[in-house]
Amino acid sequence: MATINRRSVLAGIAAWTGSGPHARAKSRFIYKYGNNLPTSHPLNRRAREAADRIRKETAGELDIRIFPSNQLGGDTGMLNQLRAGAIEFFTPSSLAIATLVPSAAINAVGFAFRDYNAVWAAMDGDLGGFIAAQIEKAGLHMMPRVWDNGFRQITTSRRPILSPADLAGVKIRVPVSQIPISLFRTLGGTPTGMQFSEVYTALQTHIVDGQENPLPIIDTAKLYEVQTYVSQTNHIWDGYLFVANGAAWYRLPKDMRKIAESAFNELCMAQRADIAALNVSVRAALSARHMTFVDPDPAPFKKKLIERGFYRQWRERFGDVAWRHLERYVGRLA
């Protein structure tokens, strides 16, 4: 994986938004793409490659300009802008878009996926197709391939989380989505929904004691500066859905849509490989930054979820059709 140093990131800021000296002055379609990740994250690096390819293969007719690092606002704000057509592309996590399309969060059912084999079988299969169809009904368009965010882990400042009992009294930040709030409340924690752009400061000022995110996010967002422990619970797998404003997407000529979708899907596969490599290396990197890792047994967490009716509740919310799509890949949950 290529190294991106601070100098190259700073020097390239103008290029990310298409405002540098080599930006094309005349394009038939100039579309904005916003996300909440640093430029160094694999999603942004691969999305940049996709945008460059699309610009080249459309002879400059489609110019996608990337706005990373919450430049256009938090997840809720960008989702609203996407729906209004103020931006044309956005990569929300399934948890973020669930505020608009509740069934999109079906992949985030706690302790459902055992490993990546089950994840990609589901998301590249019927479960992903089901989510895409629901998003289409909301006036948006989802690319067929889901980009990887990763399995989510818990970080805390005071003590590691080895069992559900360790969550008692812990104020933990979660995305603004009902399913992680329900998950941590059921496990005995005190979850607080919060935009990702606010997380570092909330941890620094002890508004919350901990948070949960995949390891690459913990690293690129420098959460090691304000957290001590990483509990590798793998409690949720989460992905980034590459979503377009429906009207803007179908405004593009068919051949242009084909070029764009092909580039996004191909670079998505490269991004998945990037995250797989990071998952191997980033634990060592975070340990070197004095974070302490623990590996809890997931069985007590899942047992508590079953006993307290978590799976029964979410099956009722998602509906039998969505739940059957999920259990086809993860087995019977409860």
Side-chain angles (χ1 to χ4, degrees):
M1 200 172 126
T3 299
I4 296 182
N5 59 34
R6 182 176 177 81
R7 180 178 297 176
S8 65
V9 169
L10 293 174
I13 286 176
W16 282 100
T17 62
S19 59
H22 302 295
R24 297 186 65 92
K26 296 180 180 178
S27 296
R28 187 176 171 189
F29 301 97
I30 299 177
Y31 279 6
K32 296 186 291 295
Y33 159 43
N35 65 68
N36 65 10
L37 295 171
T39 56
S40 58
H41 191 277
L43 181 143
N44 267 317
R45 295 195 297 106
R46 295 303 186 177
R48 175 71 183 276
E49 289 182 45
D52 289 345
R53 181 180 300 183
I54 291 164
R55 189 181 302 109
K56 180 179 180 181
E57 293 185 8
T58 62
E61 288 284 278
L62 177 54
D63 185 4
I64 298 172
R65 301 185 177 184
I66 304 174
F67 296 82
S69 302
N70 291 301
Q71 289 180 18
L72 301 179
D75 285 345
T76 300
M78 284 189 283
L79 182 58
N80 289 336
Q81 291 173 65
L82 183 76
R83 296 179 67 193
I87 62 175
E88 287 76 23
F89 294 106
F90 177 38
T91 40
S93 76
S94 57
L95 294 173
I97 202 170
T99 58
L100 173 65
V101 183
S103 57
I106 184 84
N107 67 270
V109 169
F111 296 93
F113 288 107
R114 297 177 301 277
D115 53 36
Y116 269 112
N117 288 335
V119 166
W120 298 133
M123 300 311 294
D124 292 339
D126 291 345
L127 186 62
F130 172 80
I131 293 169
Q134 303 309 304
I135 288 174
E136 196 82 23
K137 291 177 182 178
L140 306 175
H141 176 78
M142 175 183 142
M143 303 300 153
R145 293 288 179 262
V146 177
W147 298 52
D148 195 12
N149 190 2
F151 281 95
R152 300 178 79 93
Q153 320 298 352
I154 301 171
T155 70
T156 45
S157 58
R158 298 180 182 177
R159 63 174 182 260
I161 306 301
L162 290 167
S163 72
D166 293 324
L167 282 167
V170 174
K171 294 179 290 185
I172 184 164
R173 176 270 172 181
V174 297
V176 184
S177 177
Q178 286 301 308
I179 195 162
I181 291 172
S182 171
L183 172 65
F184 280 96
R185 189 171 289 152
T186 303
L187 291 172
T190 306
T192 299
M194 185 183 296
Q195 298 293 324
F196 182 71
S197 56
E198 303 169 7
V199 171
Y200 186 98
T201 301
L203 293 168
Q204 187 178 44
T205 57
H206 304 291
I207 293 172
V208 292
D209 306 311
Q211 63 84 55
E212 47 81 63
N213 258 303
L215 293 183
I217 299 292
I218 296 166
D219 187 35
T220 58
K222 299 184 178 181
L223 299 186
Y224 51 81
E225 295 178 346
V226 288
Q227 296 279 266
T228 305
Y229 300 100
V230 181
S231 303
Q232 289 208 200
T233 48
N234 292 323
H235 53 276
I236 285 175
W237 175 82
D238 195 18
Y240 291 110
L241 311 181
F242 213 113
V243 181
N245 171 277
W249 177 251
Y250 290 108
R251 191 180 303 128
L252 298 174
K254 186 175 181 179
D255 61 339
M256 201 174 288
R257 296 201 304 268
K258 184 176 180 181
I259 288 169
E261 190 167 273
S262 176
F264 286 136
N265 288 341
E266 185 172 335
L267 270 301
C268 166
M269 302 307 287
Q271 187 263 356
R272 291 182 184 180
D274 292 340
I275 295 295
L278 270 179
N279 285 334
V280 173
S281 65
V282 78
R283 176 166 175 161
L286 291 172
S287 295
R289 293 184 174 108
H290 309 294
M291 294 199 85
T292 299
F293 279 75
V294 297
D295 297 282
D297 180 357
F301 294 88
K302 195 166 183 178
K303 180 182 179 183
K304 188 163 187 177
L305 295 178
I306 293 171
E307 290 174 348
R308 299 191 65 180
F310 175 84
Y311 296 117
R312 183 175 64 252
Q313 171 194 354
W314 282 96
R315 176 172 186 153
E316 291 173 359
R317 289 200 188 188
F318 284 124
D320 288 343
V321 173
W323 202 259
R324 281 198 300 271
H325 282 304
L326 176 64
E327 288 194 330
R328 175 181 176 185
Y329 299 99
V330 303
R332 186 171 176 81
L333 291 169

